Amino acid sequence: MADSSAPKPSSSVKLVLLGEAAVGKSSLVLRFVNNDFQENKEPTIGAAFLTQKCNLPTRTIKFEIWDTAGQERFASLAPMYYRNAQAALVVYDLTKPTSLIKAKHWVAELQRQASPGIVIALVGNKLDLTEDGTGSGGDAEDAGGEDSGDARKISTEEAKTYAEEEGLLFFETSAKTGFNVTEVFTAIANAIPETSLKTARGPGASHAAARTEEQRVNLNGPRDPNAKEGCAC
Amino acid sequence: MLNFSSFVQKAQQLLEPVQGLNLSESDKNPSKASLFQNQFRLPSSQHPLYEITAELTIPPTNATQGDRDRDRGYQYAGKLHLSEAFLSFSTTPSSFLQSATTSTSSIFTGQTHGGGPNGNGFTFPLCSIRRVERLHSQNFQFALSISTWNGISQDAAKEKDKKELREQRVTLQLAGSRQACERFCDGLKKGLRANVGNVAKLKKVTAECYSEYLLRPDDKKNAAPPDAGLGMLFKYPGDPKKLRDRAKMRLWAEYLRDNGRNTTLIRQPTFHKLIRVGLPNRLRGEIWELTSGSLYLRLENPTLYADTLAKFSGQESLAIDEIEKDLNRSLPEYPGFQSEEGIGRLRRVLTAYSWLNADVGYCQAMNIVVAALLIYMSEAQAFFLLSALCDRLVPGYYSTTMYGTLLDQKVFESLVERTMPILWEHLVKSDVQLSVVSLPWFLSLYINSMPLVFAFRVLDVFFVEGPKVLFQVGLAILRINGEELLDATDDGAFISVLKSYFSRLDESAHPKSENPKLRAVTKFQELMVVAFKEFSGITHSTITDLRLKNKDAVLSNIENFAKRTAIRNLGPDSKLLSNDELGALYDRFYGVLYERQQRDHIIKQEQARRAKSSRSRIAEAASEGSHSVEKGRVGLGPSTSLMDYDAFREFLAGMCKWAISDSPSTPQRDAFAEKEKSFYGSFRRSDTLLSPWGAGPEPAEHEFLQRLFQKWDTDSSSALTLQKVVSGLARIKGKRDIMGAINYFFELYDDDGDGKVDREGILRMSEALLFLSRRGLEGTLSPSNSTLTLSGDSTNGPHGDVPGQPVSERFLGSVSAFIRRCFEYADPDHPKNQDNAVQNIQQKLGSTQLDEPTTGEELANPDAFAIGDDDDDDDDEDEDDEDDLLAMDSPTGSPKAAAKKADNPPPALQLNSTEITPSKNDTEVRRRVSKAQSERANVALDPSNPLHITLPTFRMVVLADELLEHFFETSFPTSFHIIEGLQQATPTSASSLTTFSGLGIGARPAANAGAAAGASAGAGRGLRGVLDNIVTDGMRVAAEVRRRMEEAQKELEKNALAAGGPHQQHQQQGKQRGGANDEDEDDEDEDDGGFDRASTRSGKSGGAGGLSSAYHGDAERRSVRSSDRDLLTGADAEAGDEALLGSQAGTVGIEGGEGNSAGQPSASVGGGGAGKVVGVEFDG
């Protein structure tokens, strides 16, 4: 909010999160927006909407984040949410090979169906469950039932190679520890081409949006804890 | 496996979705039964049997509510309905007679004040009625006094208690003619008698209702109360004081005491008012169960929940995995769901439902809904309520495509547009998608959007008044926030307005008002008032109409999306095929599955109808409102995406000529099906009623198809997914690489994957080659240019250049050369065995015989052996092989008799006699003999002398023959007509399937066809198959000719010409046959029988051609056994479909012609038999 007086140009970017159920999409957003983590996050029904600002040296980007439901049958709703999106976070679970397959499907769909020039980031989440998890929080706590400490099933190489082939940004994160989360969003903000940025959609929008800023807006209802001050990068 | 499926089926019947709301075909014309079930929330087993206008009188002792009329109590005029197990009364003046108009049947307005969907009245299960007396004292002609088990059944009450308990007794005065009244009473009497047995069930079910405990006298309350949900253990949400739970409970206790409890409850206006102000915690579950009708589902099968869990215990499924993911995150803030107890209950209910309704399985949001239900009700109650939700209240919401959800979003949008045009315009202008906001409201029934206490208030009304409540509340939310929403210009702002509104629902709606009363009104109360007053015009029929209007668009949207996604995600193999091909494959794949399901359904229905016809006539009439559940359509969530072997055959028959059967519906087919049953459990038994293959051609059955299926079925699950089909086809068609194709073919026959194919395999390969080529080869081998492109081949023999030399004939030669070469270059497995092999032949033969599986295809072996045998005798010249084959195919009639008697006949002739013999044992004997002879002649054929070929050998052998090379290079891959299908492909590319005129020309095509038919038969079932083909084809010619004769005049000429061909030939054969052996009499008899069946069948499949339209005639058709009748009906049905049929008829006719002309050599006898029959039929 303090930035609102800053002269830097500000623009909003619509970002959509896609990925298999329970890979941690909502948790990534919660970490990014509220710097918070909930062990048992209710599954997203339909989609949740949140906003968060990201300060770059030259400009401010306001992310309008659409966090979608992951279950397969909700897939047909996805076009409703990725419509006009300028960026997408395709999330998979490092400990679940099927989730990468699903992620590839999403990438393919976005490349064909979403607006051209969409910036896609491939994100492997739950790094805290792996050995190299830069865990500041209690990692490997529930590592898929086994206490081996490393539940990683998808190597960094494999995913990275794929991301390079498809021209995606690539990150491994932990929403639980917060590792690499803001980096993802910063990288996306940087990758959005200047030309595709419009300044806020009109006076009405900024006025209405002012109320919603920094607040977790979620269709899951008012039982969520009150929004905390987000981390602006 | 079988047990499970039948169990599930049974269970599904019990919870069968109700048509009126299920958006099926019957939407537009919902059956009376479904409307009836809807109005009274009855299970789908109930049908409106009798109805009569009546007046309900509730005696004053029972009527404590509102202003009472001390003298007469309460009176309601309305309609009394009787179904199999329920007596229902409603003030809503609806009628469900067959003669009633749809609008009178579908009155379902759900007036908010007093009415509710069922109006005032009652829904008594007949087993809850204790006594019915006829009263004479009344003014009306007919008055019944009905007393119920209310409060009595529970504790076999002592006399004293009984006195304390007021017996529930209502009076019904029937208004109608004496006759009508009598009839109704008769029906009631019968129903009561039939339902006496259900009293025990009733006791069990009501014992789980909290009301029974609540109304028990205090001195008996020592027993533990029934389970009223997790709330009893973990507290109910909200502050009971603030909710005034105690006061509500008192009111309800009073109401229930006066008006009956659970199954015997009578709905009066107070009932609906009490619901509107919110249900008390401990009764909430029970009233939900009652008003949604799930109580009646539970009453119908009280143990279904426990049974389902027990039946599937320990099993795993995708749904269970998905459920597990969400268990810890369903209403996690409610303490009950942080405990093992609560999570365990949730797990069990969701799992049981996913088993019961595997089509739906599990959908996120169900976890939240069920979690909410479990706070107020027991597991079993929640389970049945979930069924009622998914099937009736919010149909399609949780299906795999969520079409119900998407559809209702469209409906909601059009309601917003209609009721709030300014807001709507604003939404459109600012490009805000309403459903982004509203979808979660509907999907989670507001549980996830509003604070729980308020969401439950919405649910209270929702269960009694139906889905329109969701719309009313949604509209009210937008209306109340209208001004703020008009300021919001993007999704984000829009959402935040509503979110903040939801969080303030408990605040005063008018905080600044002077009037303290007004100030006390909360935002939620305001919401309810706006929803049910201002939007009272939104009725159930509004919703139904709008759903109907938007349904198609929504479904096709979903289908397009599903197709696009599916095609994109078919894996790397799919890149080998073009997008068009993938699209076509997708359509074909799901088309076949859909068709089959529809057919299956119709057949089942037909069976059910037949079963029912033995029951009372009324029941039948009532159920006649056809239950055509639209299933399998992708948009509705395909109930299967797996293709079993039968479907696979049908699928191929739509694309490949060779996959179409030569001899549909011969008795032999059934035998085949019987045999296969052990391998593929899903084999349907062939139903004589309807062609199991619908309008399409009957698919062929051949070992090759089985191998292909197994090959494509990479994980051996006996079912193919689209992905497997695509991968399978991509390997054949995608690469266009001859080596790949050859390797692929080899792998098909390399059972153990050791790179070797043994003797048996070689013979099977050659059979398959013949099978695939029996309708001619495609691609570059079309008859016109093949002689040119293959001219190189002609150097091998004189036939190559002869214009009359058809490709298929030469292919036959190539195949026999193939076998010979294979044996020639094969590697022996155990060379040392060779020495004593010959001596042991006879001895070992028997055991070999036993070792071999006795499949039908096995019969083909002698044929193949014979070919090899002949080849071996000759030298390597191709033309010689052909000569041999031709010779084998064209024996004269006379040697046959000799062959039969001779102990040591020439192999080819021996084969013929083998095939002619009808008895199987006989066949085997002969076969053994012939085999022995073959073996004597050729060491390579000795079974005790194992040998095999390897891939390089196979490749070499294939490449050595130009025709085979071409086969693998082009004609095999191109024989899959993925995009265009067979409809177009048949007339253009058929090399041997000539047209009628072609047949008329004379000998050449006939010979050509003969070879093809011979080949096909040899490939298919040995010579026995040839015979059958010829016979049945002859019959089909006859049937077709006959049918066509009866068709339009303009066709006549052509037909006559066409018919002339085969007919003449038949005659000739008949003559020829005159000199043949006597034993054929048996065959002839058999053939006659077969003919009847065949022609009947053709009528049937013709009928199936116009399936939907001609279907009504079916019952009639069934009753008439005469084949003539069937033919006529068939012709009628087909008349509408001329274009398609013309070509089909053409093919059929020609096939027949081929069969007969081909018959001369090996089976002139059979042909003769058919010829005779044809003659008779023709004249008649």
Side-chain angles (χ1 to χ4, degrees):
Chain A
M1 293 270 212
D3 318 306
S4 55
S5 59
K8 276 188 282 184
S10 155
S11 42
S12 57
V13 166
K14 178 171 175 182
L15 180 146
V16 61
L17 275 97
L18 299 165
E20 204 182 57
V23 294
K25 295 179 293 300
S26 302
S27 295
L28 277 175
V29 180
L30 189 63
R31 173 61 74 191
F32 175 57
V33 174
N34 288 345
N35 197 14
D36 190 12
F37 181 76
Q38 290 175 9
E39 196 67 56
N40 292 320
K41 192 76 196 57
E42 274 190 35
T44 311
I45 303 302
F49 179 81
L50 307 91
T51 58
Q52 172 67 303
K53 274 190 181 170
C54 191
N55 284 328
L56 300 182
T58 56
R59 62 190 190 208
T60 302
I61 296 230
K62 194 188 115 197
F63 280 115
E64 296 174 350
I65 303 167
W66 287 98
D67 173 21
T68 66
Q71 202 190 6
E72 182 70 40
R73 61 188 76 188
F74 285 80
S76 60
L77 309 183
M80 196 159 85
Y81 302 113
Y82 64 62
R83 192 183 61 128
N84 299 329
Q86 291 142 286
L89 231 65
V90 178
V91 188
Y92 67 94
D93 179 347
L94 286 168
T95 66
K96 272 196 68 190
T98 56
S99 69
L100 181 61
I101 294 171
K102 186 69 203 159
K104 290 178 179 176
H105 289 175
W106 279 122
V107 170
E109 172 156 347
L110 286 171
Q111 284 171 341
R112 291 208 207 178
Q113 305 295 337
S115 32
I118 186 171
V119 176
I120 304 174
L122 181 70
V123 176
N125 193 27
K126 306 200 184 176
L127 192 63
D128 51 283
L129 298 181
T130 68
E131 255 168 8
D132 47 348
T134 13
S136 49
D139 50 333
E141 199 175 289
D142 46 358
E146 27 180 357
D147 286 43
S148 65
D150 194 354
R152 180 192 279 274
K153 293 276 161 52
I154 298 169
S155 72
T156 311
E157 279 319 298
E158 181 190 353
K160 196 168 189 168
T161 313
Y162 166 74
E164 275 163 14
E165 275 169 22
E166 300 290 334
L168 318 173
L169 303 171
F170 173 69
F171 291 90
E172 290 188 343
T173 62
S174 165
K176 190 168 181 172
T177 66
F179 176 77
N180 240 356
V181 175
T182 42
E183 283 78 354
V184 175
F185 289 89
T186 315
I188 289 178
N190 279 315
I192 304 270
E194 197 88 36
T195 50
S196 76
L197 289 175
K198 299 159 279 174
T199 37
R201 284 187 227 167
S206 52
H207 153 73
R211 251 184 285 136
T212 75
E213 258 159 45
E214 316 280 312
Q215 182 186 10
R216 181 177 158 78
V217 180
N218 183 344
L219 301 177
N220 285 350
R223 294 182 300 282
D224 290 318
N226 280 338
K228 290 179 212 161
E229 193 61 31
C231 85
C233 15
Chain B
M1 206 48 216
L2 254 164
N3 279 338
F4 287 142
S5 60
S6 69
F7 173 78
V8 172
Q9 229 172 38
K10 209 169 150 193
Q12 276 167 347
Q13 274 164 10
L14 290 169
L15 296 174
E16 188 189 332
V18 175
Q19 310 315 306
L21 284 176
N22 202 34
L23 302 169
S24 66
E25 281 301 327
S26 56
D27 278 352
K28 280 170 191 136
N29 195 9
S31 73
K32 304 287 181 207
S34 68
L35 291 169
F36 171 72
Q37 290 150 13
N38 261 319
Q39 179 144 346
F40 293 100
R41 301 275 160 82
L42 296 177
S44 53
S45 58
Q46 303 301 307
H47 301 97
L49 300 183
Y50 299 97
E51 66 179 41
I52 196 162
T53 309
E55 192 178 76
L56 169 69
T57 305
I58 303 163
T61 44
N62 282 3
T64 56
Q65 312 293 317
D67 26 279
R68 69 178 68 174
D69 176 344
R70 289 258 167 219
D71 300 330
R72 298 188 57 202
Y74 282 102
Q75 294 189 340
Y76 297 97
K79 269 251 162 70
L80 188 63
H81 302 267
L82 182 71
S83 70
E84 286 87 343
F86 289 88
L87 181 69
S88 326
F89 179 85
S90 169
T91 48
T92 312
S94 42
S95 167
F96 302 98
L97 293 176
Q98 288 306 304
S99 54
T101 65
T102 311
S103 61
T104 52
S105 297
S106 56
I107 295 175
F108 194 80
T109 54
Q111 292 301 317
T112 51
H113 20 270
N118 322 345
N120 298 310
F122 57 76
T123 305
F124 291 155
L126 289 178
C127 54
S128 73
I129 294 175
R130 190 164 151 237
R131 200 168 55 238
V132 177
E133 291 165 277
R134 189 170 160 189
L135 303 177
H136 299 284
S137 55
Q138 303 283 340
N139 299 335
F140 288 85
Q141 252 185 329
F142 243 88
L144 300 177
S145 163
I146 292 179
S147 46
T148 67
W149 284 107
N150 179 37
I152 296 171
S153 58
Q154 287 315 307
D155 343 81
K158 292 174 204 149
E159 278 307 305
K160 187 186 111 211
D161 294 339
K162 243 182 201 165
K163 267 176 213 155
E164 275 177 20
L165 266 171
R166 275 168 297 181
E167 185 183 50
Q168 186 186 30
R169 185 195 285 252
V170 296
T171 312
L172 283 162
Q173 285 137 350
L174 310 187
S177 70
R178 189 174 185 84
Q179 212 181 4
C181 294
E182 294 278 7
R183 215 173 325 126
F184 191 92
C185 290
D186 273 354
L188 181 59
K189 224 182 285 168
K190 257 185 241 158
L192 286 170
R193 227 173 277 137
N195 280 281
V196 167
N198 290 331
V199 175
K201 269 192 200 171
L202 180 78
K203 280 188 182 170
K204 182 175 159 43
V205 166
T206 55
E208 287 169 39
C209 293
Y210 191 80
S211 57
E212 296 291 344
Y213 174 80
L214 179 73
L215 299 181
R216 213 172 286 170
D218 283 336
D219 57 314
K220 288 194 165 183
K221 276 203 174 155
N222 44 12
D227 187 359
L230 288 167
M232 293 178 88
L233 303 173
F234 299 95
K235 293 220 174 86
Y236 294 99
D239 177 1
K241 245 191 206 141
K242 225 168 142 191
L243 295 171
R244 296 198 289 165
D245 199 56
R246 212 172 252 273
K248 286 176 185 170
M249 203 54 149
R250 240 190 339 263
L251 287 172
W252 272 99
E254 195 181 339
Y255 184 87
L256 296 178
R257 207 169 283 131
D258 289 342
N259 294 286
R261 56 194 82 163
N262 47 66
T263 58
T264 55
L265 184 127
I266 299 169
R267 297 180 303 269
Q268 294 203 60
T270 317
F271 177 72
H272 299 281
K273 280 184 202 149
L274 283 173
I275 288 179
R276 278 291 167 78
V277 299
L279 290 165
N281 288 330
R282 295 191 172 214
L283 271 179
R284 184 166 257 152
E286 181 183 328
I287 303 295
W288 282 355
E289 198 189 14
L290 179 67
T291 52
S292 69
S294 70
L295 176 66
Y296 308 127
L297 293 176
R298 190 156 69 91
L299 179 63
E300 201 165 49
N301 193 348
T303 57
L304 182 63
Y305 175 64
D307 290 349
T308 309
L309 279 179
K311 204 94 191 171
F312 293 97
S313 94
Q315 290 192 59
E316 292 184 2
S317 73
L318 173 69
I320 290 180
D321 293 347
E322 292 180 320
I323 290 168
E324 287 298 324
K325 271 186 200 167
D326 290 346
L327 286 176
N328 284 319
R329 37 194 210 140
S330 313
L331 301 188
E333 67 278 6
Y334 179 72
F337 294 110
Q338 291 153 13
S339 75
E340 253 322 300
E341 174 64 24
I343 286 175
R345 290 188 191 195
L346 184 62
R347 174 187 289 120
R348 286 188 293 272
V349 172
L350 289 173
T351 307
Y353 187 75
S354 78
W355 288 122
L356 181 75
N357 190 348
D359 290 353
V360 168
Y362 168 72
C363 177
Q364 288 188 331
M366 274 163 81
N367 62 328
I368 292 169
V369 171
V370 172
L373 300 182
L374 282 172
I375 297 179
Y376 294 100
M377 47 178 37
S378 71
E379 288 173 51
Q381 286 174 316
F383 169 77
F384 285 102
L385 187 46
L386 181 61
S387 297
L389 266 173
C390 294
D391 292 343
R392 187 175 299 180
L393 289 166
V394 288
Y397 269 37
Y398 306 122
S399 82
T400 46
T401 59
M402 304 179 70
Y403 70 92
T405 309
L406 292 168
L407 179 55
D408 276 3
Q409 288 311 302
K410 277 270 169 289
V411 172
F412 186 59
E413 282 174 7
S414 34
L415 285 174
V416 172
E417 186 179 1
R418 192 188 287 179
T419 56
M420 288 169 265
I422 296 172
L423 178 64
W424 178 251
E425 210 173 286
H426 172 73
L427 290 175
V428 173
K429 214 169 57 202
S430 358
D431 198 24
V432 170
Q433 264 191 306
L434 185 59
S435 49
V436 158
V437 184
S438 56
L439 187 135
W441 297 351
F442 286 75
L443 200 57
S444 65
L445 312 176
Y446 294 98
I447 296 168
N448 217 17
S449 310
M450 295 182 190
L452 280 183
V453 275
F454 299 124
F456 290 135
R457 293 277 306 273
V458 174
L459 280 184
D460 290 344
V461 189
F462 165 74
F463 284 123
V464 71
E465 294 184 23
K468 64 154 188 136
V469 170
L470 302 178
F471 293 92
Q472 287 173 316
V473 171
L475 290 172
I477 292 170
L478 297 182
R479 165 66 48 88
I480 290 169
N481 293 284
E483 295 206 0
E484 278 189 81
L485 292 175
L486 282 174
D487 285 342
T489 51
D490 61 15
D491 302 314
F494 204 83
I495 287 176
S496 82
V497 168
L498 296 173
K499 150 127 188 174
S500 90
Y501 169 71
F502 285 137
S503 65
R504 289 181 284 118
L505 274 178
D506 56 343
E507 293 172 14
S508 167
H510 312 279
K512 286 170 192 156
S513 169
E514 296 289 313
N515 183 345
K517 253 192 176 173
L518 209 55
R519 227 174 20 240
V521 173
T522 64
K523 282 188 194 300
F524 181 76
Q525 283 166 325
E526 180 196 34
L527 176 66
M528 295 295 267
V529 170
V530 173
F532 301 126
K533 285 266 149 62
E534 197 166 331
F535 292 103
S536 64
I538 310 294
T539 66
H540 186 76
S541 53
T542 319
I543 307 298
T544 311
D545 288 350
L546 282 171
R547 279 179 178 171
L548 207 59
K549 207 168 120 196
N550 289 291
K551 178 188 162 196
D552 276 341
V554 168
L555 282 185
S556 56
N557 250 347
I558 295 174
E559 277 159 15
N560 287 339
F561 178 84
K563 184 172 171 181
R564 213 173 61 205
T565 312
I567 290 175
R568 201 167 39 230
N569 296 339
L570 282 172
D573 285 339
S574 68
K575 303 218 165 73
L576 295 170
L577 298 173
S578 76
N579 242 358
D580 286 347
E581 282 175 320
L582 291 175
L585 271 181
Y586 179 92
D587 291 342
R588 286 179 184 286
F589 184 85
Y590 284 105
V592 165
L593 293 183
Y594 176 66
E595 282 276 311
R596 289 177 66 82
Q597 266 177 330
Q598 294 296 306
R599 252 180 278 142
D600 212 40
H601 183 72
I602 288 171
I603 289 171
K604 276 208 192 102
Q605 219 177 33
E606 194 50 41
Q607 285 164 349
R609 186 142 74 183
R610 265 183 290 172
K612 232 176 222 164
S613 65
S614 54
R615 284 193 228 152
S616 81
R617 245 188 54 221
I618 301 139
E620 190 190 15
S623 70
E624 188 212 304
S626 67
H627 278 228
S628 74
V629 184
E630 196 175 17
K631 258 188 152 186
R633 185 167 170 182
V634 173
L636 294 172
S639 37
T640 177
S641 53
L642 294 177
M643 183 175 260
D644 63 12
Y645 178 62
D646 265 0
F648 173 71
R649 287 164 60 203
E650 198 175 332
F651 171 71
L652 281 184
M655 299 193 300
C656 312
K657 278 193 294 183
W658 45 263
I660 296 172
S661 170
D662 300 309
S663 52
S665 127
T666 55
Q668 192 169 4
R669 207 197 88 76
D670 292 337
F672 262 64
E674 280 301 318
K675 250 177 221 162
E676 295 301 323
K677 229 168 211 157
S678 49
F679 297 108
Y680 304 102
S682 62
F683 257 87
R684 72 191 57 237
R685 101 198 139 62
S686 78
D687 193 296
T688 45
L689 251 181
L690 261 167
S691 157
W693 308 107
E698 177 171 333
E701 166 67 320
H702 188 267
E703 191 220 13
F704 177 76
L705 293 176
Q706 290 173 24
R707 284 182 182 271
L708 202 60
F709 182 80
Q710 277 156 10
K711 174 90 177 164
W712 289 9
D713 181 21
T714 41
D715 57 1
S716 304
S717 58
S718 291
L720 298 180
T721 59
L722 178 61
Q723 177 149 9
K724 287 185 196 167
V725 168
V726 166
S727 303
L729 260 179
R731 285 206 55 194
I732 294 174
K733 220 174 149 60
K735 288 206 179 102
R736 294 268 168 194
D737 138 39
I738 180 166
M739 285 310 170
I742 293 174
N743 293 356
Y744 192 82
F745 197 81
F746 186 83
E747 282 168 31
L748 272 180
Y749 285 86
D750 183 10
D751 290 325
D752 44 7
D754 63 353
K756 297 171 182 174
V757 168
D758 61 4
R759 180 201 324 275
E760 198 61 35
I762 294 170
L763 295 172
R764 285 175 192 280
M765 276 179 169
S766 55
E767 281 167 38
L769 290 174
L770 292 173
F771 171 72
L772 292 173
S773 65
R774 75 195 194 287
R775 283 158 198 272
L777 301 173
E778 294 173 56
T780 56
L781 291 173
S782 67
S784 52
N785 60 7
S786 63
T787 40
L788 297 174
T789 54
L790 296 177
S791 57
D793 189 39
S794 67
T795 53
N796 280 344
H799 293 306
D801 288 322
V802 180
Q805 173 68 25
V807 176
S808 48
E809 207 169 302
R810 284 188 295 120
F811 191 77
L812 215 54
S814 297
V815 171
S816 62
F818 164 79
I819 299 170
R820 176 168 40 74
R821 284 180 181 139
C822 278
F823 284 135
E824 203 168 299
Y825 296 109
D827 305 314
D829 277 352
H830 304 288
K832 56 179 177 178
N833 282 352
Q834 275 181 354
D835 294 340
N836 53 353
V838 181
Q839 285 88 341
N840 287 339
I841 287 175
Q842 296 294 347
Q843 185 193 338
K844 291 198 177 178
L845 251 175
S847 61
T848 318
Q849 204 74 35
L850 287 174
D851 290 345
E852 286 165 357
T854 50
T855 58
E857 289 82 18
E858 206 68 18
L859 285 172
N861 285 345
D863 188 14
F865 271 106
I867 294 171
D869 189 13
D870 286 350
D871 290 345
D872 202 62
D873 289 339
D874 298 314
D875 272 332
D876 285 350
E877 308 266 357
D878 279 359
E879 75 255 76
D880 283 346
D881 300 337
E882 282 156 30
D883 283 344
D884 276 324
L885 281 163
L886 288 174
M888 194 188 80
D889 275 345
S890 57
T892 52
S894 49
K896 267 194 202 144
K900 220 201 154 276
K901 285 166 197 157
D903 271 334
N904 199 4
L909 297 177
Q910 176 59 44
L911 281 167
N912 289 330
S913 62
T914 303
E915 294 310 317
I916 288 158
T917 333
S919 127
K920 194 176 174 215
N921 285 337
D922 208 1
T923 313
E924 297 239 321
V925 170
R926 277 164 206 290
R927 191 171 144 220
R928 231 171 272 175
V929 173
S930 92
K931 204 168 179 180
Q933 276 149 3
S934 307
E935 277 154 3
R936 210 167 292 157
N938 184 351
V939 188
L941 292 169
D942 173 9
S944 63
N945 179 21
L947 52 77
H948 65 262
I949 56 166
T950 56
L951 179 58
T953 316
F954 177 70
R955 213 181 279 152
M956 181 190 78
V957 169
V958 167
L959 294 178
D961 186 294
E962 206 154 347
L963 217 46
L964 282 179
E965 186 185 334
H966 275 271
F967 172 80
F968 283 108
E969 192 163 21
T970 56
S971 59
F972 182 52
T974 46
S975 69
F976 294 86
H977 300 272
I978 295 179
I979 293 177
E980 73 274 31
L982 273 191
Q983 231 50 274
Q984 291 91 337
T986 311
T988 52
S989 65
S991 59
S992 64
L993 300 184
T994 41
T995 57
F996 265 107
S997 53
L999 194 74
I1001 289 170
R1004 193 179 58 78
N1008 172 359
S1016 80
R1021 290 154 207 173
L1023 290 181
R1024 173 75 193 168
V1026 176
L1027 188 88
D1028 281 334
N1029 289 350
I1030 290 158
V1031 170
T1032 47
D1033 284 353
M1035 293 165 194
R1036 283 170 59 182
V1037 171
E1040 277 306 310
V1041 165
R1042 190 186 157 81
R1043 189 182 63 72
R1044 289 176 69 95
M1045 289 290 280
E1046 285 161 359
E1047 271 182 23
Q1049 276 285 332
K1050 57 176 178 176
E1051 294 254 34
L1052 196 65
E1053 248 180 47
K1054 208 163 126 201
N1055 290 346
L1057 201 96
H1063 188 207
Q1064 268 168 17
Q1065 275 164 5
H1066 294 319
Q1067 299 285 18
Q1068 271 173 11
Q1069 283 169 6
K1071 270 183 218 156
Q1072 214 175 31
R1073 179 194 159 272
N1077 57 48
D1078 320 341
E1079 123 194 285
D1080 299 330
E1081 299 296 349
D1082 294 4
D1083 277 354
E1084 204 178 297
D1085 288 350
E1086 220 176 69
D1087 293 341
D1088 280 339
F1091 174 67
D1092 266 346
R1093 253 163 293 176
S1095 56
T1096 310
R1097 169 54 181 262
S1098 78
K1100 291 293 190 223
S1101 55
L1107 196 61
S1108 48
S1109 63
Y1111 182 60
H1112 280 298
D1114 208 64
E1116 191 187 5
R1117 202 145 33 106
R1118 219 180 334 125
S1119 63
V1120 185
R1121 269 270 163 233
S1122 142
S1123 57
D1124 290 39
R1125 175 77 206 187
D1126 284 323
L1127 279 168
L1128 283 174
T1129 325
D1132 283 347
E1134 277 168 355
D1137 222 324
E1138 285 223 4
L1140 184 135
L1141 211 97
S1143 68
Q1144 255 181 8
T1147 354
V1148 170
I1150 282 78
E1151 273 168 32
E1154 285 159 25
N1156 278 292
S1157 44
Q1160 308 127 351
S1162 51
S1164 65
V1165 183
K1172 191 180 149 207
V1173 177
V1174 168
V1176 171
E1177 186 57 30
F1178 206 156
D1179 299 338

